[in-house]
Amino acid sequence: MPDAILLSFLGLWLMAAASHKHCREAGVCDPRAKRALRFLGSLALVLAFTTCGTELTGERVVRALGAASVAGVALVLLLSFRPALAFAPLRRALALSRGRTPTSPSAARAVPARVSPAANSRGR
């Protein structure tokens, strides 16, 4: 059952990353990447359904739905508090697959942006 919960969480997480609401936090802008994430998410959900541990009966369906509901609640709680942190591994993987190294938050803070005081004053 824990493997079905983890696979369901992974599938729902990938599908959430491809959704319109969370695509910016996940760093997914390309429609082809969204389709690929949806496909991988549905593949993980099918894999979770097929590896529930029983033969194809009603018990497998109940176990798969139970695992998906536990994973769904955990994902909703995670995305409601820290969506950017939840998709950080996906952003890093996408950046590595594109051939770029992701910038760490500490490196981004080390180089301060130069902004003139007049630009921030807004006419005050």
Side-chain angles (χ1 to χ4, degrees):
M1 189 74 172
D3 58 340
I5 292 172
L6 289 176
L7 282 171
S8 296
F9 183 83
L10 177 68
L12 292 172
W13 181 68
L14 290 171
M15 293 179 110
S19 72
H20 180 70
K21 183 176 181 180
H22 297 294
C23 66
R24 190 174 340 143
E25 285 94 3
V28 181
C29 299
D30 188 25
R32 290 179 290 156
K34 289 181 184 181
R35 277 189 298 250
L37 286 176
R38 284 188 198 117
F39 175 74
L40 290 174
S42 60
L43 188 67
L45 288 174
V46 167
L47 188 62
F49 177 71
T50 58
T51 61
C52 281
T54 63
E55 61 275 351
L56 188 58
T57 60
E59 184 180 354
R60 177 182 280 189
V61 173
V62 169
R63 284 186 181 194
L65 290 175
S69 66
V70 169
V73 167
L75 183 65
V76 165
L77 287 174
L78 181 65
L79 291 179
S80 65
F81 289 116
R82 303 271 180 153
L85 183 65
F87 292 121
L90 182 63
R91 278 194 314 271
R92 179 167 287 211
L94 288 173
L96 289 175
S97 71
R98 293 176 185 146
R100 291 182 281 177
T101 57
T103 306
S104 65
S106 61
R109 281 191 298 256
V111 180
R114 297 199 179 237
V115 178
S116 66
N120 284 336
S121 66
R122 294 186 189 176
R124 292 183 199 151

